[in-house]
């Protein structure tokens, strides 16, 4: 009788459980844990009535198209979530926010195209993030910021040309990073320097011309095919990239390797050759050679002037400009330095007259070229008639007035508020001002006005 009662209670308990389990799914109570198994059930969405205490949730091989904020709400005990091989193209922001204990998230073989900043926010305990075989084009810069505990990240077989490298740099527990079969063309130097636990890096089939040298690679064993690894070695796969075999890849050529299928794509002399069969001394760089530059230039004060400098070399040389007073020219409100070697002086001043130096440099060397710039001073008309006194362009009257204007009062350009107000600056803000010329009649001899203001950002006077 007692036994019968016990059986009855068990049946009742199971019946209660069966009600919580979503239709078509199987729920296993592996006391005290609950696993909800809904793989291959033809589901079109995440069932709403999943037990919020479930620890494992399998939803692979269904037809789920999107993940909504409520789908996994309150599932604080969930450790393992599998959504592989669905048709997910959209994940609501913060859809995984409540999953504070989640260790593994499988989203491979779906239709994701982008990962936003808040898709994985707060998932500080996640160890495995599997996103391979999607159609990812964009991962926003902050998307991985909270994933500091990640041990495995799989982004292979997507369309990514960039990933949040700075976040990767901080994932110090990472041991497996799969980035193969994407469109990556650049890996910043220092990306792997803190990843002491990394033992597998796959960048096969991307658009990389080079890899950043890193001490980590010293223990690398380069594998063309996956092989058996000892725990201390580091498996690096980089075949199928358009490697540019110059002196910058010499460090890589010096690593030990197992099998080899990698080839060089450039320079022309080495194109198509097997990477590991090219002798070290053929990994050459070429020092820069300046091929074109602006010759002596003369412009009127206040005009725009472009100084050009072009150089070739291997790798492509960087170009810097040194001003006549010996300073490195950088981007300011008056000057723009472009990577193509052009230096734009938007509004020239007499002080720009002198020798500019173009410096072209790459790992193989440096080249210099001097460009002479002569700025022709404009005449400053200051006293053509008895009644008109133009403000002295060299004085700081205007900026004084502008400051007064910014404080809410009007001022005249000649610094005599309440005077005859020939030039009035009104409505001055930090970046705009209304300038009025209150001349009753044409003044003989005045052909143009020059407005001079103080660009205090870089302490230069600007003429218009
Ligand atoms: C989650 O928990 C909150 C508070 O306990 C409750 O209001 C909400 O309805 C729950 N959401 C779901 C989807 O169970
Ligand atoms: C994502 O976060 C980064 C900082 O982590 C920020 O620079 C970027 O603008 C954000 N992007 C979007 C689309 O909000
Ligand atoms: C200066 O600004 C230009 C235009 O915004 C930009 O293309 C260039 O890369 C900048 N140069 C530097 C050195 O930041
Ligand atoms: C360099 O780039 C700038 C900005 O894109 C452009 O205005 C300039 O003409 C270029 N110079 C040369 C020499 O191609
Ligand atoms: C201004 O007028 C004075 C006297 O008429 C003259 O000596 C001086 O050269 C003039 N200055 C300019 C810049 O024209
Ligand atoms: C400045 O001058 C303008 C035009 O003369 C006038 O409308 C405005 O009220 C004046 N502002 C102040 C603060 O005096
Ligand atoms: C420009 O303004 C700043 C701040 O008011 C001042 O320190 C600087 O001397 C001014 N520069 C010129 C050339 O007048």
């Amino acid at each position: 009788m007692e036994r019968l009662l016990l059986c009855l209670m068990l049946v009742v308990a199971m019946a209660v459980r069966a009600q919580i389990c979503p239709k078509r799914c199987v729920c296993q109570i592996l006391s005290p844990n609950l696993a909800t198994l809904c793989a291959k059930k033809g589901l079109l969405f995440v069932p709403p009535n999943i037990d919020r205490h479930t620890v494992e949730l399998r939803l692979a091989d269904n037809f789920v198209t999107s993940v909504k904020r409520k789908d996994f709400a309150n599932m604080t005990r969930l450790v393992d979530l599998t959504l592989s091989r669905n048709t997910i193209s959209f994940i609501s922001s913060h859809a995984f926010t409540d999953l504070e204990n989640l260790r593994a998230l499988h989203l491979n073989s779906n239709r994701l195209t982008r990962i936003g900043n808040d898709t994985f926010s707060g998932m500080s305990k996640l160890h495995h993030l599997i996103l391979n075989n999607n159609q990812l084009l964009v991962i926003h810069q902050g998307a991985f910021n909270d994933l500091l505990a990640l041990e495995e990240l799989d982004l292979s077989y997507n369309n990514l040309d960039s990933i949040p490298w700075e976040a990767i740099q901080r994932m110090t527990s990472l041991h497996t990073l799969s980035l193969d079969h994407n469109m990556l063309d650049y890996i910043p130097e220092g990306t792997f320097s803190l990843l002491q636990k990394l033992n597998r890096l796959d960048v096969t089939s991307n658009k990389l011309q080079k890899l950043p040298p890193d001490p980590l690679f010293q223990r690398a064993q380069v594998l063309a095919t996956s092989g058996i690894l000892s725990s201390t070695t580091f498996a690096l796969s980089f075949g199928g990239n358009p490697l540019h075999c110059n002196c910058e890849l010499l460090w890589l050529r010096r690593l030990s390797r197992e099998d080899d299928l990698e080839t060089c794509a450039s320079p022309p002399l080495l194109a198509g050759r097997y990477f590991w069969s090219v002798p070290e001394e053929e990994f050459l760089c070429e020092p820069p050679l300046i091929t074109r530059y602006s010759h002596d230039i003369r412009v009127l004060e206040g005009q725009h002037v472009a100084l050009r400098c072009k150089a070739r070399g291997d790798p492509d040389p960087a170009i810097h400009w040194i001003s006549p007073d010996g300073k490195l020219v950088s981007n300011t409100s008056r000057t723009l330095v472009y990577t193509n070697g052009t230096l734009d002086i938007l509004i020239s001043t007499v002080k720009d007259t002198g020798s500019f130096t173009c410096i072209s440099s790459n790992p193989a060397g440096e080249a210099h070229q001097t460009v002479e710039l002569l700025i022709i001073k404009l005449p400053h008309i200051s006293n053509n008639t008895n009644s008109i006194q133009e403000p002295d362009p060299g004085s700081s009257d205007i900026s004084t007035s502008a400051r007064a204007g910014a404080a809410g009062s009007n001022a005249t350009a000649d610094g005599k508020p309440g005077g005859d107000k020939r030039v009035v600056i009104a409505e001055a803000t930090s970046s705009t001002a209304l300038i009025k010329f209150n001349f009753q009649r044409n003044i003989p001899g005045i052909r143009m006005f020059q407005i001079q203001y103080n660009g205090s950002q870089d302490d230069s006077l600007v003429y218009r």
Side-chain angles (χ1 to χ4, degrees):
M1 184 63 194
E2 231 172 66
R3 182 169 292 182
L4 192 73
L5 201 69
L6 205 72
C7 281
L8 210 67
M9 276 169 68
L10 209 68
V11 167
V12 169
M14 279 171 73
V16 169
R17 272 297 182 205
Q19 269 179 346
I20 296 168
C21 196
K23 214 163 91 182
R24 296 196 252 185
C25 299
V26 175
C27 295
Q28 286 178 350
I29 305 154
L30 308 161
S31 185
N33 292 337
L34 173 67
T36 305
L37 311 178
C38 311
K40 277 193 191 165
K41 301 294 179 192
L43 299 174
L44 300 176
F45 48 84
V46 178
N49 54 341
I50 298 169
D51 192 312
R52 301 285 127 179
H53 294 121
T54 195
V55 167
E56 188 180 345
L57 177 53
R58 293 195 206 161
L59 288 158
D61 300 291
N62 283 295
F63 304 98
V64 176
T65 56
S66 66
V67 175
K68 301 189 172 59
R69 176 74 176 89
K70 63 175 167 46
D71 287 345
F72 306 113
N74 299 342
M75 290 195 188
T76 51
R77 297 195 196 173
L78 195 60
V79 169
D80 199 328
L81 173 58
T82 311
L83 287 159
S84 313
R85 295 176 298 279
N86 275 276
T87 53
I88 300 168
S89 61
F90 178 75
I91 299 177
S92 297
S93 44
H94 302 291
F96 304 118
T97 293
D98 290 353
L99 310 183
E100 53 196 51
N101 280 303
L102 198 71
R103 292 294 196 278
L105 176 57
H106 287 78
L107 278 163
N108 51 297
S109 302
N110 276 288
R111 294 184 187 165
L112 296 171
T113 55
R114 59 174 284 281
I115 303 287
N117 273 354
D118 42 21
T119 308
F120 301 128
S121 61
M123 304 183 82
S124 58
K125 289 187 182 166
L126 197 66
H127 288 172
H128 305 272
L129 178 58
I130 312 300
L131 285 162
N132 57 288
N133 291 85
N134 276 280
Q135 296 154 17
L136 290 174
L137 273 171
V138 179
I139 299 179
H140 285 179
Q141 211 52 45
F144 292 164
N145 281 0
D146 292 342
L147 307 179
L148 295 178
L150 223 51
E151 295 175 359
E152 180 186 9
L153 175 59
D154 191 343
L155 290 167
S156 57
Y157 292 92
N158 279 291
N159 300 319
L160 296 164
D161 58 10
S162 178
I163 60 172
W165 294 112
E166 283 179 25
I168 303 262
Q169 210 171 351
R170 294 192 298 266
M171 295 177 185
T172 49
S173 305
L174 205 62
H175 59 64
T176 302
L177 180 56
S178 307
L179 303 173
D180 51 294
H181 298 89
N182 275 291
M183 321 265 270
L184 302 175
D185 55 8
Y186 174 67
I187 301 178
E189 212 157 306
T191 298
F192 310 114
S193 55
L194 299 175
L195 309 186
Q196 291 302 317
K197 298 200 172 133
L198 194 66
N199 58 32
R200 187 176 275 277
L201 171 64
D202 192 344
V203 293
T204 310
S205 290
N206 275 285
K207 294 185 164 181
L208 297 167
Q209 294 200 321
K210 58 179 184 177
L211 290 176
D214 197 290
L216 178 84
F217 296 118
Q218 293 308 320
R219 53 187 176 89
Q221 196 170 14
V222 180
L223 302 175
T225 54
S226 53
I228 301 135
L229 296 168
S230 79
S231 58
T232 55
T233 55
F234 172 83
L236 168 68
S237 315
F238 63 88
N241 280 291
L243 298 178
H244 183 59
C245 297
N246 67 2
C247 69
E248 291 182 297
L249 274 192
L250 195 53
W251 67 271
L252 184 63
R253 175 64 183 81
R254 288 179 175 153
L255 299 180
S256 64
R257 89 287 186 185
E258 226 169 57
D259 203 356
D260 44 52
L261 287 171
E262 298 85 10
T263 53
C264 296
S266 58
L269 216 58
L270 299 179
R273 303 246 318 255
Y274 284 112
F275 182 81
W276 300 106
S277 71
V278 177
E280 283 182 23
E281 53 279 10
E282 288 186 44
F283 283 74
L284 295 173
C285 282
E286 250 180 70
L289 180 72
I290 293 175
T291 52
R292 284 168 65 188
Y293 61 94
S294 303
H295 292 268
D296 302 350
I297 305 180
R298 295 159 159 258
V299 288
L300 277 180
E301 178 183 7
Q303 299 297 296
H304 163 252
V305 55
L307 307 186
R308 296 179 211 278
C309 186
K310 264 198 179 311
R312 65 173 159 76
D314 185 6
D316 283 337
I319 289 180
H320 298 284
W321 286 93
I322 306 290
S323 63
D325 56 355
K327 290 188 185 131
L328 183 70
V329 183
S330 55
N331 275 355
T332 66
S333 60
R334 219 166 59 78
T335 53
L336 285 175
V337 199
Y338 295 104
T339 45
N340 64 9
T342 298
L343 162 61
D344 264 348
I345 301 176
L346 303 175
I347 302 149
S348 56
T349 71
V350 180
K351 278 194 276 178
D352 295 328
T353 296
S355 313
F356 281 76
T357 310
C358 156
I359 299 183
S360 159
S361 59
N362 75 5
E366 241 183 54
H368 299 241
Q369 184 60 54
T370 305
V371 174
E372 295 295 337
L373 178 62
L374 176 65
I375 307 293
I376 301 155
K377 196 170 162 53
L378 282 176
H380 289 249
I381 299 159
S382 64
N383 55 350
N384 289 84
T385 68
N386 299 335
S387 57
I388 303 299
Q389 270 201 323
E390 281 288 291
D392 171 8
S395 82
S396 60
D397 284 354
I398 289 182
S399 59
T400 312
S401 306
R403 276 199 296 275
S409 71
N410 284 336
T412 59
D414 58 8
K416 280 181 262 173
D420 39 1
K421 290 191 182 177
R422 286 181 299 269
V423 180
V424 177
I425 302 170
E427 296 164 36
T429 70
S430 60
S431 59
T432 62
L434 179 67
I435 301 174
K436 285 188 186 162
F437 303 91
N438 292 328
F439 296 111
Q440 309 301 313
R441 57 197 160 86
N442 284 337
I443 299 150
I446 293 189
R447 283 158 301 179
M448 63 179 283
F449 291 103
Q450 186 178 59
I451 297 161
Q452 179 185 347
Y453 61 94
N454 182 343
S456 56
Q457 206 176 20
D458 47 12
D459 193 22
S460 62
L461 290 173
V462 179
Y463 300 87
R464 286 284 188 206

Short mmCIF file of all heavy atoms in Angstrom, two decimals, residues 380-384 386, ligand 5:
data_model
loop_
_atom_site.label_atom_id
_atom_site.label_comp_id
_atom_site.label_asym_id
_atom_site.label_seq_id
_atom_site.Cartn_x
_atom_site.Cartn_y
_atom_site.Cartn_z
N HIS A 380 48.37 95.49 -46.63
CA HIS A 380 47.34 95.75 -45.63
C HIS A 380 47.01 97.24 -45.67
O HIS A 380 47.83 98.06 -45.30
CB HIS A 380 47.82 95.37 -44.23
CG HIS A 380 47.92 93.89 -44.07
ND1 HIS A 380 47.08 93.18 -43.26
CD2 HIS A 380 48.77 93.00 -44.63
CE1 HIS A 380 47.40 91.88 -43.33
NE2 HIS A 380 48.43 91.76 -44.15
N ILE A 381 45.85 97.62 -46.21
CA ILE A 381 45.48 99.03 -46.35
C ILE A 381 44.90 99.48 -45.03
O ILE A 381 43.91 98.95 -44.54
CB ILE A 381 44.44 99.20 -47.47
CG1 ILE A 381 45.06 98.72 -48.78
CG2 ILE A 381 43.99 100.65 -47.57
CD1 ILE A 381 44.06 98.35 -49.82
N SER A 382 45.54 100.47 -44.43
CA SER A 382 45.05 100.83 -43.10
C SER A 382 44.61 102.29 -43.00
O SER A 382 43.87 102.64 -42.11
CB SER A 382 46.11 100.56 -42.05
OG SER A 382 47.22 101.39 -42.30
N ASN A 383 45.06 103.18 -43.90
CA ASN A 383 44.64 104.58 -43.75
C ASN A 383 44.47 105.29 -45.09
O ASN A 383 45.27 106.11 -45.46
CB ASN A 383 45.58 105.34 -42.82
CG ASN A 383 47.01 105.25 -43.29
OD1 ASN A 383 47.33 104.48 -44.18
ND2 ASN A 383 47.86 106.07 -42.71
N ASN A 384 43.39 104.94 -45.79
CA ASN A 384 43.18 105.53 -47.10
C ASN A 384 42.48 106.87 -47.02
O ASN A 384 42.75 107.75 -47.81
CB ASN A 384 42.35 104.58 -47.97
CG ASN A 384 43.19 103.40 -48.35
OD1 ASN A 384 43.27 102.47 -47.58
ND2 ASN A 384 43.82 103.46 -49.50
N ASN A 386 40.66 110.05 -44.42
CA ASN A 386 40.77 110.64 -43.10
C ASN A 386 39.81 109.98 -42.11
O ASN A 386 40.12 109.80 -40.96
CB ASN A 386 40.44 112.14 -43.14
CG ASN A 386 41.42 112.88 -44.04
OD1 ASN A 386 42.54 112.41 -44.23
ND2 ASN A 386 40.99 114.00 -44.60
C1 LIG B 5 49.16 106.03 -43.42
O1 LIG B 5 49.12 107.46 -43.57
C2 LIG B 5 50.34 108.06 -43.22
C3 LIG B 5 50.13 109.57 -43.30
O2 LIG B 5 49.18 109.91 -44.23
C4 LIG B 5 51.43 107.57 -44.14
O3 LIG B 5 52.66 108.19 -43.80
C5 LIG B 5 51.55 106.05 -44.02
O4 LIG B 5 52.50 105.56 -44.93
C6 LIG B 5 50.21 105.43 -44.31
N1 LIG B 5 50.33 104.01 -44.07
C7 LIG B 5 49.94 103.09 -44.92
C8 LIG B 5 50.12 101.65 -44.54
O5 LIG B 5 49.44 103.36 -45.99
#
